[in-house]
């Protein structure tokens, strides 16, 4: 691909000589990057000077962790990699928590930072933002950290990252460019691009073997994780053909309509659903780790045949190994199974399944009704004013994992973005900003607790600057409510979990947004409805008991 520029400076560089900064931006544009998130600093200015020339939009959060979460939300909504630009040292480390969350949730996230100069001595010299090894730090949370050694290698590193994003299970990557290489120049030809890759297809013999087991199953179940996101229609067809109830992980929420008669929703944490799952004669797990973070406890022992469908071959040998392994793209693999399974079951089992699912839903909710009931009226109020394709971002907050995950129904047109696994705090607000910039025509709502919100509350300024219509619903229990409850359950005196009162609506107004309180579900409904039509963020606190 030639050096394709647009705008008043849209002329190829003389003799194809490009700086390292321009080489990076050209490579990002060549891979379809249209928007990046970051904060300029002394060491990355050569990158910033070329963004507008290549038509790449820039969003400036108020903290690099917010940039990472915003890029994560952007990636989850668009399906395209989110890109973060940081400067050296503390800025990169600020983004590291977001990289860890993206790794946990299989999100394609690219973080680019300058590094110490190419021939920087091993001993400390006191250079600005100097640290022992940025690459070693990021290798602990990313799929790889690539420090380049020439201007030409920048393109190779970008192509490597995009090949990772396309070739299998998406994971975050970090590219470090020595700061002297950003200003250095080199004669380059057409930009190096990651190759197009076909969808990974499973072994046909394995498909036929699995199809035979599914056709013979009397008590099948379908378990969907985030890796099934692009296979929703095929998974629903498979569930209907097998009369198999469907349960999802947090990242699989809404892949099939949660109002469908076969849907159990996000319910792997329910003891009743876990007991039911262990009694299935065949369980088809699509795009999920079957991890402790999915079940909120060690995964139960499955007594039936486990059919695992995953792009990541390593999942076949994890804590819950597959009995029948189908390695391939989820949609391609499920469609291959459908081609091998008879269109109609003749065992008479179909008619009993909806009633069984209804009973299971009751059992699922009965055990947690006392705990979860406080949030349900408010979630119904929120749901009543949101469009079917609305995007909800959530935090590691009780109102989210006890409330929204199991009790706020979604269709495949909508989306709930939740920080699973790594379980970071402060995700909801910046992720909502990223989601809203990715999908300007869709409603976006952030749902958080007061503890998590204050990790990234400064991103209210970003939402004000962008004038994004964004309701931010905060259930305020005056501190870290989950940890307070865990301390009490241990018989400990709650320590370091209670906050002095903070007037969060006033803080939102101080940033230039709007703020209000909602003490009833109806007040919340009205406040959210108004916020969806008001430019800029509206922070709505819902006071709740601290127990």
């Amino acid at each position: 691909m030639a050096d394709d520029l647009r705008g008043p400076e849209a002329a190829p560089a003389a003799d194809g000589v490009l700086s390292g900064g321009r080489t990076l931006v050209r490579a990002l544009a060549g891979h379809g990057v249209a928007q990046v998130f970051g904060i300029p600093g002394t060491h990355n200015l050569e990158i910033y000077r070329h963004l507008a020339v290549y038509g790449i939009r820039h969003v400036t959060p108020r903290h690099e962790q917010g940039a990472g979460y915003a890029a994560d939300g952007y990636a989850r909504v668009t399906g395209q990699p989110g890109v973060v630009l940081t400067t050296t040292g503390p800025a990169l480390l600020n983004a590291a928590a977001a990289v860890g969350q993206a790794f946990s949730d299989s999100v394609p996230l690219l973080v680019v930072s300058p590094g110490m100069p190419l021939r920087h001595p091993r001993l400390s010299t006191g250079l600005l933002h100097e640290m022992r090894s940025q690459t070693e730090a990021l290798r602990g949370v990313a799929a790889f950290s690539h420090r380049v050694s020439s201007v030409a290698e920048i393109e190779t590193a970008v192509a490597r990252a995009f090949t990772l994003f396309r070739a299998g299970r998406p994971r975050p990557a970090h590219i470090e460019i020595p700061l002297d290489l950003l200003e250095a120049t080199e004669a380059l030809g057409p930009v190096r691009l990651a190759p197009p890759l076909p969808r990974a297809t499973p072994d046909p013999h394995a498909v036929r073997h699995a199809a035979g087991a599914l056709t013979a199953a009397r008590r099948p179940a379908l378990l969907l994780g985030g890796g099934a996101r692009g296979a929703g229609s095929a998974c629903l067809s498979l569930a209907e053909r097998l009369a198999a109830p469907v349960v999802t992980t947090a990242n699989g929420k809404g892949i099939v309509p949660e109002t469908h008669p076969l849907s159990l929703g996000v319910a792997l944490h329910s003891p009743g659903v876990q007991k039911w799952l262990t009694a299935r004669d065949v369980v088809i797990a699509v795009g999920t780790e079957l991890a402790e973070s999915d079940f909120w406890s060690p995964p139960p022992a499955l007594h039936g045949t486990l059919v695992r469908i995953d792009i990541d071959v390593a999942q076949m040998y994890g804590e819950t190994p597959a009995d029948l392994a189908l390695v391939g793209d989820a949609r391609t693999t499920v469609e291959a199974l459908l081609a091998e399974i008879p269109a109609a079951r003749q065992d008479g089992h179909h008619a009993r399944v909806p009633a069984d699912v209804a009973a299971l839903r009751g059992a699922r909710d009965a055990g947690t009704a006392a705990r979860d009931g406080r949030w349900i009226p408010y979630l119904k109020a929120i749901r009543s004013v949101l469009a079917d394709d609305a995007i909800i971002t959530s935090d590691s907050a009780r109102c989210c994992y006890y409330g929204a995950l199991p009790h706020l129904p979604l269709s495949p047109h909508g989306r709930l973005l939740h920080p699973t696994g790594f379980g970071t705090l402060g995700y909801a607000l910046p992720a909502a900003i990223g989601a809203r910039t990715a999908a300007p025509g869709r409603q976006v709502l952030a749902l958080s607790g007061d503890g998590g919100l204050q990790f990234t509350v400064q991103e209210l300024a970003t939402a004000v600057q962008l004038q994004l219509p964004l309701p931010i619903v905060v259930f305020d229990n005056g501190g870290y409510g989950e940890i307070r409850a865990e301390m009490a359950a241990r018989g400990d005196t709650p320590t370091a979990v209670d906050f002095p009162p903070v007037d969060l609506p006033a803080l939102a107004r101080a940033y230039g947004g709007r703020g209000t309180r909602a003490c009833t579900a109806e007040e919340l409904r009205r406040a959210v409805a108004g916020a969806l039509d008001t430019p800029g963020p509206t922070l709505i606190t819902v006071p709740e008991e601290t127990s």
Side-chain angles (χ1 to χ4, degrees):
M1 177 177 176
D3 189 5
D4 181 18
L5 306 181
R6 292 169 176 81
E9 299 178 51
D15 302 319
V17 175
L18 305 178
S19 71
R22 182 168 177 174
T23 298
L24 169 70
V25 177
R26 183 180 77 146
L28 293 176
H31 285 89
V33 173
Q35 178 169 297
V36 297
F37 301 83
I39 299 176
T42 299
H43 289 163
N44 64 11
L45 298 182
E46 178 62 19
I47 298 172
Y48 273 82
R49 73 182 300 186
H50 299 292
L51 291 175
V53 177
Y54 282 84
I56 296 178
R57 298 183 300 275
H58 185 271
V59 174
T60 310
R62 299 308 187 262
H63 190 279
E64 288 88 3
Q65 190 174 108
Y69 295 148
D72 178 298
Y74 179 93
R76 296 195 200 204
V77 170
T78 63
Q80 302 301 313
V83 178
V84 179
L85 301 179
T86 79
T87 192
T88 38
L92 178 62
L93 294 184
N94 284 343
V99 176
Q101 188 61 62
F103 189 95
S104 177
D105 287 350
S106 302
V107 176
L109 184 72
L110 176 60
V111 178
V112 181
S113 74
M116 291 298 99
L118 196 60
R119 293 177 177 82
H120 188 66
R122 291 289 183 180
L123 295 176
S124 174
T125 66
L127 187 66
L128 178 67
H129 301 327
E130 183 181 60
M131 59 181 288
R132 291 175 60 191
S133 176
Q134 292 188 155
T135 56
E136 288 301 317
L138 267 291
R139 279 174 187 151
V141 287
F144 69 77
S145 178
H146 186 148
R147 176 177 164 91
V148 304
S149 57
S150 69
V151 171
E153 193 183 350
I154 294 171
E155 292 184 342
T156 300
V158 174
R160 179 188 177 193
F162 278 80
T163 300
L164 168 74
F165 300 149
R166 297 171 182 175
R169 185 179 185 181
R171 295 290 207 187
H174 167 238
I175 297 172
E176 176 179 300
I177 306 173
L179 60 92
D180 51 340
L181 285 185
L182 287 174
E183 301 285 349
T185 59
E186 192 168 330
L188 301 176
V191 65
R192 184 186 301 275
L193 298 177
L197 297 170
R199 292 179 180 271
T201 57
D203 175 65
H205 176 74
V207 170
R208 288 191 293 271
H209 190 186
L214 298 182
T215 302
R218 302 290 299 180
R219 300 182 308 281
L222 197 58
L223 199 165
L224 305 182
R229 179 65 56 186
S233 178
C235 287
L236 182 58
S237 295
L238 182 63
E240 291 174 339
R241 190 165 298 183
L242 299 175
V246 182
V247 62
T248 78
T249 68
N251 285 337
K253 182 175 176 65
I255 288 177
V256 301
E258 293 188 302
T259 56
H260 192 281
L262 287 169
S263 175
L264 295 171
V266 180
L268 289 176
H269 59 281
S270 163
V273 171
Q274 289 186 15
K275 181 179 179 181
W276 165 83
L277 197 63
T278 63
R280 301 302 90 195
D281 58 351
V282 176
V283 174
I284 311 105
V286 186
T288 173
E289 293 177 322
L290 296 176
E292 182 173 343
S293 57
D294 297 319
F295 290 90
W296 301 1
S297 62
L302 301 178
H303 301 304
T305 299
L306 175 60
V307 180
R308 297 197 71 159
I309 299 172
D310 209 290
I311 195 73
D312 183 0
V313 67
Q315 293 305 311
M316 305 304 169
Y317 314 106
E319 291 295 317
T320 309
D323 296 307
L324 297 174
L326 298 178
V327 180
D329 170 76
R331 190 180 79 187
T332 301
T333 305
V334 175
E335 288 175 348
L337 278 175
L338 287 168
E340 297 287 341
I341 296 173
R345 295 276 296 267
Q346 302 299 322
D347 57 9
H349 190 58
H350 269 93
R352 296 197 303 273
V353 171
D356 292 344
V357 174
L360 266 172
R361 282 175 174 161
R364 175 199 71 181
D365 297 337
T368 58
R371 181 194 65 198
D372 300 353
R374 70 180 76 175
W375 297 291
I376 292 176
Y378 294 99
L379 294 170
K380 287 182 177 177
I382 290 171
R383 177 73 272 177
S384 71
V385 295
L386 291 180
D388 190 47
D389 68 346
I391 301 164
I392 301 150
T393 63
S394 69
D395 224 318
S396 290
R398 306 180 94 200
C399 59
C400 299
Y401 46 76
Y402 294 146
L405 282 178
H407 301 298
L408 200 160
L410 288 184
S411 79
H413 302 294
R415 191 75 187 272
L416 189 143
L417 312 183
H418 185 73
T420 309
F422 205 55
T424 189
L425 283 165
Y427 177 83
L429 172 54
I433 292 170
R436 193 69 172 76
T437 61
R442 294 170 66 177
Q443 296 173 340
V444 178
L445 177 140
L447 185 63
S448 186
D450 58 304
L453 177 77
Q454 293 184 71
F455 276 58
T456 53
V457 71
Q458 68 278 358
E459 301 309 340
L460 285 168
T462 310
V464 168
Q465 182 179 12
L466 297 173
Q467 283 295 283
L468 302 175
L470 180 62
I472 305 153
V473 178
V474 181
F475 285 82
D476 189 346
N477 58 26
Y480 299 124
E482 177 66 18
I483 308 306
R484 182 192 295 126
E486 290 181 16
M487 287 179 170
R490 289 165 50 92
D492 298 342
T493 300
T495 303
V497 291
D498 296 309
F499 297 164
V502 177
D503 191 341
L504 293 173
L507 181 59
R509 292 191 291 270
Y511 273 113
R514 297 171 67 243
T516 188
R517 287 178 174 78
C519 296
T520 67
E522 174 57 23
E523 289 177 355
L524 180 59
R525 185 194 68 78
R526 292 198 300 266
V528 171
L532 291 168
D533 293 326
T534 302
T538 302
L539 194 152
I540 308 160
T541 57
V542 180
E544 63 172 341
E545 65 268 31
T546 60
S547 61

